[in-house]
Amino acid sequence: MNTTPTLTPLAAFAPLFAEPAGSPIRELFPLLSRPGMMSLAGGYPSASLLDAEGLAQAASHALGQGISALQYGATEGLPAMRDALAQQAQARGMTASAQDVLVTTGSQQAFDLLVRVLLQPGDTALVEVPAYPATLQALRLAQANIVGVPMDADGLHTDALAELLAQMPAAQRPKLLYTVPNFSNPRGSLLSAQRRQALVQLALQYGFWIVEDDPYGELHFAHAQDTASGTPSTLRSMAAHLAPVERNPVVYLSSLSKTVAPALRIGWMLADQALLRRCAVAKQTVDLCTSPMAQLVATSYLHSGRYAPTVQRARAEYQRRMHALVQGLNAIPDQPLRCTMPAGGMFVWADIAPHIAPQRLFEAAVQHGVLYVPGKAFYPDAAERHALRLSFAATEAQDMAEAVQRLGRAALQAQSA
């Protein structure tokens, strides 16, 4: 007699993960393993600019604090870390105390927590386009109604936004708007002061949250002289002058990934207490707390006096690399790629000449050993776009000429195909 039990089939995946779309940038990673491939794709900080010595000293100091470094910590973050990040916010012109800060595992987690707390399936979320792909990915998984707001060289187009909001039925008005006002990913644009004020006023008028994601704000270049700090006032600080503290519509997100080290995974959220409390509850179900060890290392580093000179070195070097990239692109014969010079950050957005097929250019670039991110990765509809994103951060200045030459040869091949 056969006594082999009949196995019950495994339950099906949840509909959202039946055929999930991964990050279009991370799906390029297999191409990086090809011998000799040069990458202008990933938005990684330069390995040569990471302060390994200073971080080693900070790690030693963290371990020297005893068993507390190895235990769980508060979901909201260690008090010393929250205080250090509040000081970062104050340096950027915002009113903040430790109680206003939620420490997150990267700023991407901060946005994910906001999506969990604020959005239900079908709710409208506005996103500047082109947009950071992980933002679009989070909103898709939340089943939000994603509506793009166009950008130009001065950032999110607030006139277009005002027109869009005026035409929306009240039931379809947005819960939130996501923007990277400082040296946006991928466009590299800097939102003008006039548009910042207009954006805050629209949020107050129509009652939506602004998610101000600012991982690049400190990486301003020498010619960005809008204010003494190199960038205009934050949206959150502007809103503080236009609305009561308890009704500030701006949630400020930032990260140490681009200025200290990505491996620490230290991000943070600055928001009012009601929203912060709900995001902390959401975080409890995700990871309980951000690594206390990483927080102790980051706190020690921020108190060491090495942070400011490290950021200053990064600004100078990234500006040098950006100039090498933009000047190289402008020197390509027949100008198949056109771009504007960013005032900071890590990215250059380039428009592709209309007679060149974007997919053909990408395939030719891979053949010639240079990688970038196609423009379609940054739009909700994933339709083909005559544009691409290039990152100058991780490529040494002396290697930039070779990367641009390869791109130029790829453009020539794509034109003649």
Side-chain angles (χ1 to χ4, degrees):
M1 180 177 180
N2 186 358
T3 58
T4 303
T6 302
L7 296 178
T8 301
L10 292 173
F13 295 109
L16 284 172
F17 287 90
E19 294 293 338
S23 165
I25 296 178
R26 290 193 167 267
E27 289 180 356
L28 298 176
F29 272 44
L31 297 173
L32 292 175
S33 63
R34 295 190 180 186
M37 181 67 74
M38 301 186 74
S39 177
L40 298 172
Y44 291 177
S46 172
S48 65
L49 294 175
L50 299 180
D51 184 8
E53 179 184 357
L55 286 167
Q57 293 173 7
S60 178
H61 181 264
L63 284 170
Q65 297 185 46
I67 200 68
S68 62
L70 306 178
Q71 267 292 5
Y72 291 109
T75 299
E76 293 81 2
L78 301 182
M81 180 83 271
R82 297 174 76 188
D83 184 67
L85 293 174
Q87 291 178 39
Q88 290 268 326
Q90 293 165 15
R92 299 177 196 183
M94 292 175 281
T95 300
S97 68
Q99 296 302 114
D100 302 317
V101 173
L102 174 66
V103 181
T104 59
T105 306
S107 61
Q108 181 61 36
Q109 185 190 64
F111 180 69
D112 185 72
L113 296 176
L114 287 170
V115 169
R116 290 167 182 259
V117 167
L118 296 176
L119 298 182
Q120 299 182 69
D123 283 345
T124 298
L126 301 179
V127 181
E128 61 185 9
V129 289
Y132 177 46
T135 297
L136 300 175
Q137 191 176 22
L139 292 172
R140 288 192 191 101
L141 290 174
Q143 302 179 69
N145 172 34
I146 306 173
V147 177
V149 182
M151 303 173 71
D152 59 21
D154 292 321
L156 185 145
H157 204 302
T158 49
D159 286 345
L161 173 61
E163 184 176 345
L164 175 66
L165 290 167
Q167 294 173 353
M168 276 185 171
Q172 297 177 14
R173 284 179 181 169
K175 285 281 192 72
L176 63 80
L177 177 147
Y178 175 87
T179 180
V180 184
N182 296 329
F183 325 123
S184 65
N185 179 5
R187 214 182 193 289
S189 58
L190 177 64
L191 186 64
S192 68
Q194 181 179 1
R195 289 189 181 182
R196 288 173 190 247
Q197 184 168 354
L199 177 55
V200 170
Q201 290 173 335
L202 287 169
L204 292 170
Q205 179 182 350
Y206 287 96
F208 59 85
W209 294 95
I210 298 173
V211 182
E212 179 181 14
D213 196 2
D214 188 27
Y216 311 105
E218 291 196 280
L219 298 178
H220 52 82
F221 298 151
H223 60 267
Q225 296 299 327
D226 296 79
T227 68
S229 65
T231 56
S233 299
T234 65
L235 295 170
R236 184 168 174 83
S237 63
M238 280 191 168
H241 296 291
L242 298 173
V245 174
E246 66 275 9
R247 294 188 57 194
N248 193 316
V250 180
V251 184
Y252 183 86
L253 310 183
S254 194
S255 168
L256 299 182
S257 293
K258 302 302 189 290
T259 54
V260 180
L264 290 176
R265 306 307 302 130
I266 298 295
W268 46 291
M269 177 192 301
L270 185 64
D272 68 62
Q273 290 298 313
L275 182 56
L276 217 62
R277 184 173 68 253
R278 286 161 174 80
C279 286
V281 172
K283 181 174 168 63
Q284 289 170 6
T285 70
V286 177
D287 64 358
L288 298 181
C289 63
T290 296
S291 165
M293 173 64 77
Q295 292 186 62
L296 288 170
V297 173
T299 302
S300 178
Y301 188 81
L302 291 177
H303 289 159
S304 70
R306 300 178 71 114
Y307 180 78
T310 295
V311 172
Q312 185 57 47
R313 283 194 301 273
R315 288 174 187 152
E317 181 58 25
Y318 287 155
Q319 183 170 13
R320 193 162 72 97
R321 298 181 189 190
M322 179 274 294
H323 277 297
L325 176 58
V326 172
Q327 291 168 1
L329 292 175
N330 290 338
I332 295 176
D334 301 324
Q335 293 188 317
L337 302 173
R338 294 180 179 271
C339 63
T340 56
M341 186 175 292
M346 294 182 167
F347 305 106
V348 166
W349 182 255
D351 294 314
I352 303 171
H355 63 280
I356 299 178
Q359 183 60 28
R360 189 175 295 162
L361 175 62
F362 179 75
E363 292 170 355
V366 172
Q367 290 176 21
H368 285 276
V370 62
L371 201 59
Y372 61 80
V373 184
K376 66 180 181 180
F378 304 97
Y379 288 84
D381 56 12
E384 198 66 86
R385 307 280 173 169
H386 274 74
L388 54 86
R389 188 196 78 176
L390 301 161
S391 175
F392 48 80
T395 302
E396 301 291 337
Q398 62 267 24
D399 298 326
M400 196 68 74
E402 173 61 23
V404 171
Q405 288 174 15
R406 294 184 185 189
L407 196 53
R409 291 194 292 269
L412 181 62
Q413 178 179 323
Q415 289 182 85
S416 61

